[in-house]
Amino acid sequence: MENLTNCNEGLQPAVCRACLFATGAAPGRSPSREWCALGDPEAQPRGLGGLDARDPAPQALTPGGGGGGGEVWLLSGAAPGPWTDGHPAAEAMPVAGLLPLFGSPAGGGLGGGLGGGLGGGGGRKGSGPAAFRLTEKFVLLLVFSAFITLCFGAIFFLPDSSKLLSGVLFHSSPALQPAADHKPGPGARAEDAAEGRARRREEGAPEDPAADREDPLARIRENHERALREAKETLQKLPEEIQRDILREKEKVAQDQLRDRAPFRRLPPVDFVPPIGLENREPADAAVREKRAKIKEMMEHAWNSYKRYAWGLNELKPITKEGHSSSLFGTIKGATIVDALDTLFIMGMESEFQEAKSWIAENLDFNVNAEISVFEVNIRFVGGLLSAYYLSGEEIFRKKAVELGIKLLPAFHTPSGIPWALLNIKSGIGRNWPWASGGSSILAEFGTLHLEFMHLSHLSGNPIFAEKVMNIRKVLNKLEKPEGLYPNYLNPSSGQWGQHHVSIGGLGDSFYEYLLKAWLMSEKTDLEAKKMYFDAVQAIETHLIRKSSGGLTYIAEWKGGLLEHKMGHLTCFAGGMFALGADGAPEGRAQHYLELGAEIARTCHESYNRTFMKLGPEAFRFDGGVEAIATRQNEKYYILRPEVVETYMYMWRLTHDPKYRKWAWEAVEALESHCRVNGGYSGLRDVYFTHEKYDNVQQSFFLAETLKYLYLIFSDDDLLPLEHWIFNTEAHLLPILPTAQKEVEVKVK
Ligand code: DMJ
C-alpha cells in the first residue's frame, strides 16, 4: 500500500482514489507512482484526457467550477486544486453528491462497475479505503434500480412527458404550425400563446378568459396521449427504423423552412429609379477641390490598406497589419467591404466598387452559425447593401439585403415583439446583452431598424418587415413615459421599461434620429413619427439640455431623475439632428432648432479643440470645474468616430456658415497627423497625451461615415441633396419612399 500511504501524506484523498480508478487497481494492489502523479494537478503534464490541469477549459464541463487533471476530475465533480477550493457550487453539485455512492474505492463490484462506467469516481471526502460489504452493495443496487424506475415512470406518465419524449426520442410535430419566420427559441411556447391571443384580440374576437385557461390543459392532454401512442410505436421499432424516422423528420423540417421562405426566394420586379443627385461635379473653388481630393486620397489609403492586410475580414488592425474581428458580427465577414460600398461609389472609385461587388456576390454568406448584434448588422450590412442597391441598381445588393433581413426576423419572436439584441442567425435563438438592465433590450438598438425595414418591405414586396417595426412603435406608444422621456431599457418579455436611464448618446441616440428620419423618408407623411420626435425633443430640452457657466450648451444624461453632466462623442450627432428637423418644428420654433444645432456643434468643436490631438474624447464633462473635457482616463480615447463631422455636414448644408468647413478641415488635419499610419488609420487611446498611443483598429464606420461626411462637406449641395436622400445612422443612403410608405401601411392594416 505504498502509494496509499503516499496519498495520505501528500495528496488529497480524491486524487488517490482517482489514481486507483484510472489504473483499475483492486484493493490491496498498488497503482504505480506515475499514475498517481497524473492525478496530481500540480505534477500532471499535458496529456491526460487532452487537458492541462491548469487549463480553464474543464470549467465548461463541470458546472460547479470543478476541473482538474482529466476526465476523472471532470465527472466526479470533486476535483482537488484551486477550482473547487471553497467553491460552494462544486460542493452542492448533484453529480458530485451522487457519484461517490457508486465510486467505491475498491474499484470492484458495483462501485467499480458503475464508477468506472461513469468515468471514475472517488471524491467522498474522508472515506477510508475499506470496501462496501455485500449487503451495502445490495441496498445500493436496490436504490439505483428504484431511481431508474422512477425516471422511466416520469418520462412516460407525467403530464408534460410529451415534451421530454419529443426532445429525447423523436421529433413530434407541434399542434400549431409556427409562423413563417418562426424559429423555436427559449420561451417559444409562451410567445406563441401570447401572439395568438394578441392576434385574436386584434381581429376583434371577444376575449374568453376560460379559453385561455382551458387551452393549455386540452393541449397537454392531447400531447400526452399522442406522446404515449408515439412512444409505444417507437419502442416497437428497430434502431435502424428509428434512425430513418429521425432523418425523415429532419428533412421535413428543412423543407418546411424552405417553403416558409419561398415567397422571398424570387423577388418581385421593382422599377429601379435612377438615383437623384449623383452628378458629382468638381467644386468650382480650387481650394475646396483640393481639400475634397485629399479626403478621397484618405479613403484610398484606408481602403487599400484594408485590402492589402485584411481583405475579406471584418476590419483592419493598421498597426499590426492584420484582420480584426469584432463579436458584433459573429462569423459574418466583410464588414468593411459592405460598409464602404457607397462611399466608394460616391467618390467615383469605380474599380474598387466593382471588386467589392464581386466579393459580395461570391463570398458574403449569411448561412453561418453566428450570434450577431441585430442592430449593428442592420445598420452596417442591411443599410450598406440597400444603399449600394439604390445607388447602382445592381440586383445582387437587393437580393443580399432581403436575404439578411429574413435572417433577422426571428429576433422579433418575443412576447412583446420588441426584438432581442443578439441573435443566432442559424438557430434563430435570441437573447439580450447580459449587462442590460433586467434582461432588457436597448432603445437605440430596437429603435434603429425602422428605415431599413421599411425599405426591405418595399424591395421584397412583403410587409412583414414593416409590420415588425410598426409594432415596436405601437408598444412604445402605449407605454407611460417618465417626464415624457424614453428610458434606454425595455424588457421584451414584459413590455415594460427597465432602469430609468435616459441618454441622447450611447443606448438612446439613434432611436430619436430614426423618428425624425422616418417622417422625412415618408415625404413627411408619417405624422405619428413626427409627433413622437417633437414630443421627445421637447422633453429632452426641458430635462436634459443645459448651458455651462462658460456658455456651452450640452446634453446631459438622466438617471432616475438625477442629471449626470456628461456628454458623449456619440451625443454630438444631435446637433445635426436638431438642425435637420428644424423645418418641421411646431410654429415659430424652426430658428430655435437650427440655433440649438449650431450650439451643440460649437460645444462638440470645443471638445476637440481642448485636447492635444484636436480630436474629441469619447465623453466629456461639465462638472468639477471643467467644461467639455474628459476627466476620466477611460473616456479619453477616440476611435475614428463620425458624430462631430456628421453634425458639421448638416450644419454646413443647412447654413453654409464657412466655420463648418474650417472645423471639418481641422479634423482632417488631426486625423492625418495622429491617426494615419502606414497600414491605414488607427484610433487613439488618449487624445490629451502628447504621443500617439494607438488602439490598432480601423473601424469600418471610418470608411462608411467619417470620410463620407467629410467628403460631402467639401462637395456641392447637389451631390446627394437632403430633400431626396436620408442617411441611415451608419451614413448609408436611403431614398425618400412616399408611395412605398403608403403601400406598406395599407398592407400592414
Ligand atoms: C456607428 O456605427 C453608428 O453611427 C452608430 O449609430 C453609432 N456608433 C457608430 C459610430 O460611432
Side-chain angles (χ1 to χ4, degrees):
M1 300 292 284
E2 179 201 345
N3 289 85
L4 288 177
T5 313
N6 281 348
C7 281
N8 289 338
E9 281 169 8
L11 299 171
Q12 293 182 37
V15 180
C16 297
R17 271 192 297 282
C19 295
L20 288 163
F21 279 113
T23 55
R29 286 184 46 203
S30 306
S32 69
R33 272 184 187 280
E34 289 80 6
W35 275 107
C36 231
L38 279 172
D40 176 5
E42 287 309 312
Q44 186 199 326
R46 275 184 180 276
L48 180 64
L51 292 164
D52 188 305
R54 283 157 291 256
D55 274 345
Q59 287 173 4
L61 296 167
T62 54
E71 291 168 60
V72 172
W73 312 122
L74 301 181
L75 290 171
S76 75
W83 305 282
T84 51
D85 276 353
H87 198 305
E91 304 272 319
M93 198 165 65
V95 179
L98 265 176
L99 288 183
L101 278 174
F102 305 121
S104 123
L110 178 68
L114 285 172
L118 289 169
R124 192 171 52 171
K125 278 186 185 165
S127 69
F132 287 117
R133 281 205 308 267
L134 195 65
T135 43
E136 284 174 341
K137 287 178 187 167
F138 183 67
V139 170
L140 287 172
L141 182 62
L142 272 180
V143 170
F144 181 68
S145 352
F147 176 70
I148 298 287
T149 317
L150 247 170
C151 291
F152 270 96
I155 287 176
F156 287 106
F157 299 111
L158 284 181
D160 217 10
S161 57
S162 58
K163 238 197 274 173
L164 192 55
L165 279 170
S166 62
V168 175
L169 295 177
F170 48 80
H171 180 96
S172 65
S173 42
L176 285 170
Q177 280 304 312
D181 59 327
H182 181 88
K183 293 271 190 323
R189 279 166 162 263
E191 285 165 37
D192 288 344
E195 237 176 56
R197 276 198 298 277
R199 219 173 289 136
R200 281 201 299 279
R201 250 174 250 129
E202 274 170 15
E203 283 161 6
E207 291 276 329
D208 178 5
D212 272 355
R213 274 198 312 275
E214 280 168 22
D215 271 347
L217 274 179
R219 214 177 38 233
I220 288 170
R221 208 173 302 124
E222 198 186 301
N223 283 345
H224 182 198
E225 282 161 11
R226 196 184 50 244
L228 274 175
R229 253 194 334 271
E230 289 177 351
K232 275 186 208 149
E233 285 163 22
T234 307
L235 290 173
Q236 282 163 6
K237 287 182 183 170
L238 294 169
E240 303 82 68
E241 279 182 89
I242 297 176
Q243 192 63 33
R244 262 201 307 277
D245 285 354
I246 292 172
L247 283 177
R248 212 172 301 134
E249 195 60 41
K250 270 188 175 170
E251 265 167 35
K252 189 172 166 289
V253 171
Q255 271 167 11
D256 285 353
Q257 278 182 350
L258 275 180
R259 195 205 48 224
D260 291 343
R261 287 168 187 185
F264 288 102
R265 243 180 305 140
R266 198 165 301 133
L267 291 177
V270 287
D271 289 333
F272 176 69
V273 183
I276 300 176
L278 274 182
E279 289 76 34
N280 203 4
R281 280 190 309 270
E282 283 293 328
D285 182 323
V288 174
R289 218 167 36 238
E290 210 176 292
K291 286 179 174 148
R292 197 171 90 128
K294 172 67 197 166
I295 295 160
K296 182 174 173 183
E297 187 277 327
M298 292 168 75
M299 178 69 184
E300 283 162 355
H301 179 58
W303 176 260
N304 290 335
S305 304
Y306 165 77
K307 198 175 135 187
R308 182 150 176 212
Y309 304 116
W311 183 245
L313 300 172
N314 279 325
E315 286 169 321
L316 163 71
K317 287 185 174 178
I319 304 293
T320 48
K321 300 180 177 170
E322 59 190 329
H324 169 72
S325 49
S326 144
S327 59
L328 299 172
F329 315 116
T331 47
I332 297 182
K333 299 231 169 7
T336 295
I337 299 181
V338 181
D339 235 3
L341 275 172
D342 51 8
T343 309
L344 295 173
F345 193 93
I346 294 160
M347 292 187 179
M349 294 170 65
E350 245 165 66
S351 63
E352 289 86 348
F353 181 81
Q354 287 308 328
E355 66 193 343
K357 186 187 117 188
S358 308
W359 185 90
I360 285 166
E362 287 155 29
N363 301 293
L364 186 60
D365 184 10
F366 304 128
N367 293 312
V368 286
N369 187 359
E371 188 183 58
I372 49 102
S373 152
V374 174
F375 160 77
E376 293 289 353
V377 164
N378 176 59
I379 63 169
R380 300 193 202 201
F381 282 85
V382 177
L385 291 164
L386 288 173
S387 178
Y389 169 72
Y390 282 117
L391 291 172
S392 69
E394 298 278 3
E395 272 296 309
I396 181 69
F397 299 128
R398 176 166 77 121
K399 186 174 152 273
K400 288 280 178 192
V402 175
E403 193 190 317
L404 181 54
I406 295 165
K407 290 274 181 189
L408 298 183
L409 287 173
F412 293 82
H413 277 251
T414 64
S416 62
I418 295 293
W420 299 114
L422 300 167
L423 175 74
N424 182 309
I425 54 170
K426 181 159 192 241
S427 66
I429 292 175
R431 67 181 175 112
N432 274 337
W433 297 105
W435 48 261
S437 154
S440 291
S441 302
I442 306 293
L443 182 69
E445 299 199 326
F446 65 78
T448 309
L449 303 167
H450 194 97
L451 305 181
E452 296 81 1
F453 274 49
M454 293 306 274
H455 275 281
L456 285 175
S457 273
H458 172 60
L459 292 181
S460 67
N462 192 319
I464 190 161
F465 302 101
E467 276 168 22
K468 299 292 181 196
V469 288
M470 293 306 272
N471 177 61
I472 295 178
R473 222 190 244 183
K474 200 154 116 197
V475 173
L476 288 173
N477 273 330
K478 276 193 203 142
L479 281 170
E480 192 71 29
K481 280 129 212 118
E483 308 287 351
L485 296 164
Y486 288 82
N488 290 339
Y489 299 103
L490 178 56
N491 188 303
S493 304
S494 64
Q496 298 300 317
W497 299 120
Q499 204 188 334
H500 282 192
H501 172 202
V502 178
S503 155
I504 314 307
L507 308 182
D509 49 8
S510 39
F511 160 70
Y512 305 95
E513 175 187 353
Y514 271 37
L515 288 178
L516 172 66
K517 290 180 177 175
W519 170 60
L520 293 173
M521 197 175 84
S522 67
E523 208 174 34
K524 305 187 179 172
T525 58
D526 185 351
L527 297 178
E528 184 180 48
K530 180 185 180 188
K531 177 169 174 9
M532 287 171 80
Y533 170 74
F534 281 107
D535 286 353
V537 167
Q538 176 73 55
I540 290 166
E541 278 207 83
T542 311
H543 299 287
L544 268 60
I545 297 189
R546 295 288 178 269
K547 201 169 232 161
S548 71
S549 47
L552 293 178
T553 301
Y554 63 96
I555 312 176
E557 301 202 356
W558 194 82
K559 292 190 173 158
L562 294 177
L563 277 192
E564 190 180 9
H565 298 270
K566 159 187 133 173
M567 189 166 165
H569 193 290
L570 289 166
T571 321
C572 287
F573 89 97
M577 177 179 77
F578 292 139
L580 182 65
D583 208 18
E587 274 295 308
R589 303 275 288 163
Q591 190 54 28
H592 165 73
Y593 283 115
L594 208 56
E595 278 162 19
L596 183 57
E599 284 178 36
I600 298 295
R602 182 164 82 95
T603 301
C604 293
H605 175 253
E606 282 306 311
S607 80
Y608 273 47
N609 210 28
R610 296 176 186 195
T611 70
F612 179 83
M613 305 275 179
K614 304 290 173 208
L615 290 165
E618 180 67 5
F620 42 95
R621 297 190 176 251
F622 296 85
D623 56 16
V626 301
E627 295 199 355
I629 287 178
T631 51
R632 304 187 182 181
Q633 194 52 42
N634 64 358
E635 292 173 347
K636 294 182 177 172
Y637 62 89
Y638 171 70
I639 57 167
L640 306 172
R641 286 197 191 278
E643 292 75 18
V644 175
V645 294
E646 174 182 350
T647 278
Y648 295 165
M649 192 281 285
Y650 284 107
M651 293 312 302
W652 164 254
R653 281 276 174 106
L654 296 165
T655 66
H656 288 134
D657 183 331
K659 75 172 174 236
Y660 296 113
R661 276 191 165 163
K662 180 174 166 283
W663 291 352
W665 191 247
E666 285 169 12
V668 168
E669 287 179 325
L671 285 166
E672 286 300 275
S673 305
H674 303 294
C675 300
R676 187 175 180 134
V677 292
N678 208 276
Y681 288 85
S682 169
L684 300 165
R685 293 192 190 280
D686 186 346
V687 287
Y688 298 92
F689 200 61
T690 47
H691 304 297
E692 293 83 11
K693 286 188 273 178
Y694 298 113
D695 72 0
N696 195 20
V697 182
Q698 178 176 287
Q699 305 278 348
S700 74
F701 52 68
F702 181 65
L703 293 86
E705 299 188 73
T706 313
L707 292 175
K708 187 187 288 144
Y709 286 132
L710 285 170
Y711 185 79
L712 290 175
I713 292 172
F714 294 96
S715 299
D716 290 350
D717 292 359
D718 53 11
L719 176 62
L720 302 168
L722 295 181
E723 308 79 73
H724 294 282
W725 293 96
I726 297 298
F727 292 87
N728 89 340
T729 194
E730 188 79 1
H732 294 310
L733 289 142
L734 299 170
I736 304 286
L737 257 193
T739 47
Q741 171 78 20
K742 278 173 215 139
E743 273 166 34
V744 161
E745 273 173 10
V746 169
K747 282 189 189 163
V748 169
K749 273 175 195 150

